[in-house]
């Protein structure tokens, strides 16, 4: 089990950049699927990007490919989401998520129902 705490959200003009952080604590020694999801009012939570903590290529949603980048700092146990060229449609509550797994295939695709550790979320608002 891990605990996740997001930070870094805020309001931004379209075209700007923002970096979200997710502090991970608890069982950080085991392999995990890690990811970022987002949700807007009235819509289902959707996967933005997911990865396997032990390596391999992340999987991004088509809507953020080329603009967002996920990274994991093992030293500080922090998961990052670098967001660039932000668009109004990127507005939403962003959640960090984790799933304990030694099997990297369980990480993909980004299915909300599979991930069982969640942070409280951080709000991102992009204005045009």
């Amino acid at each position: 089990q891990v605990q996740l705490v997001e930070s870094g959200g805020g309001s931004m003009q379209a075209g700007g950049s923002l970096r979200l952080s997710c502090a991970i604590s608890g069982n950080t020694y085991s392999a995990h699927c890690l990811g970022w999801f987002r949700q807007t009012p009235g819509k289902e939570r959707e996967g933005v990007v997911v990865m396997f903590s032990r390596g391999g290529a992340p999987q991004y949603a088509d809507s953020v490919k080329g603009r967002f980048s996920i990274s994991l700092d093992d030293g500080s146990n922090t998961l990052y989401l670098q967001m660039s060229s932000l668009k109004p449609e990127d507005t939403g509550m962003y959640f960090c998520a984790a799933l304990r797994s030694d099997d990297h295939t369980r990480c993909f695709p980004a299915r909300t129902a599979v991930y069982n550790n969640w942070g409280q979320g951080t709000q991102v608002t992009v204005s045009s």
Side-chain angles (χ1 to χ4, degrees), residues 86-97:
L86 283 163
K87 303 176 180 180
E89 50 263 44
D90 293 320
T91 293
M93 184 71 78
Y94 282 71
F95 297 89
C96 177

Side-chain angles (χ1 to χ4, degrees), residues 59-102:
Q59 188 176 90
Y60 293 88
D62 288 342
S63 60
V64 305
K65 279 181 182 176
R67 300 189 299 119
F68 289 13
S69 178
I70 190 172
S71 61
L72 175 64
D73 186 315
D74 289 319
S76 63
N77 293 318
T78 304
L79 184 71
Y80 295 102
L81 180 65
Q82 179 67 49
M83 305 186 293
S84 303
S85 301
L86 283 163
K87 303 176 180 180
E89 50 263 44
D90 293 320
T91 293
M93 184 71 78
Y94 282 71
F95 297 89
C96 177
L99 169 70
R100 166 73 183 97
S101 177
D102 291 316

Side-chain angles (χ1 to χ4, degrees), residues 2-127:
V2 292
Q3 293 75 47
L4 308 171
V5 179
E6 303 95 334
S7 61
S11 297
M12 180 65 58
Q13 291 275 348
S17 298
L18 203 60
R19 189 178 76 163
L20 305 183
S21 300
C22 174
I24 306 170
S25 59
N27 181 22
T28 59
Y29 297 101
S30 299
H32 286 81
C33 298
L34 299 169
W36 289 94
F37 293 72
R38 67 186 179 191
Q39 188 170 21
T40 53
K43 292 187 177 181
E44 291 188 0
R45 194 171 297 186
E46 63 174 357
V48 175
V49 55
V50 291
M51 63 175 285
F52 185 54
S53 66
R54 296 292 168 84
Q59 188 176 90
Y60 293 88
D62 288 342
S63 60
V64 305
K65 279 181 182 176
R67 300 189 299 119
F68 289 13
S69 178
I70 190 172
S71 61
L72 175 64
D73 186 315
D74 289 319
S76 63
N77 293 318
T78 304
L79 184 71
Y80 295 102
L81 180 65
Q82 179 67 49
M83 305 186 293
S84 303
S85 301
L86 283 163
K87 303 176 180 180
E89 50 263 44
D90 293 320
T91 293
M93 184 71 78
Y94 282 71
F95 297 89
C96 177
L99 169 70
R100 166 73 183 97
S101 177
D102 291 316
D103 179 2
H104 71 283
T105 63
R106 293 191 66 200
C107 304
F108 316 106
R111 292 168 293 182
T112 304
V114 171
Y115 285 73
N116 56 7
N117 291 274
W118 294 88
Q120 82 289 348
T122 186
Q123 178 68 34
V124 172
T125 303
V126 184
S127 57

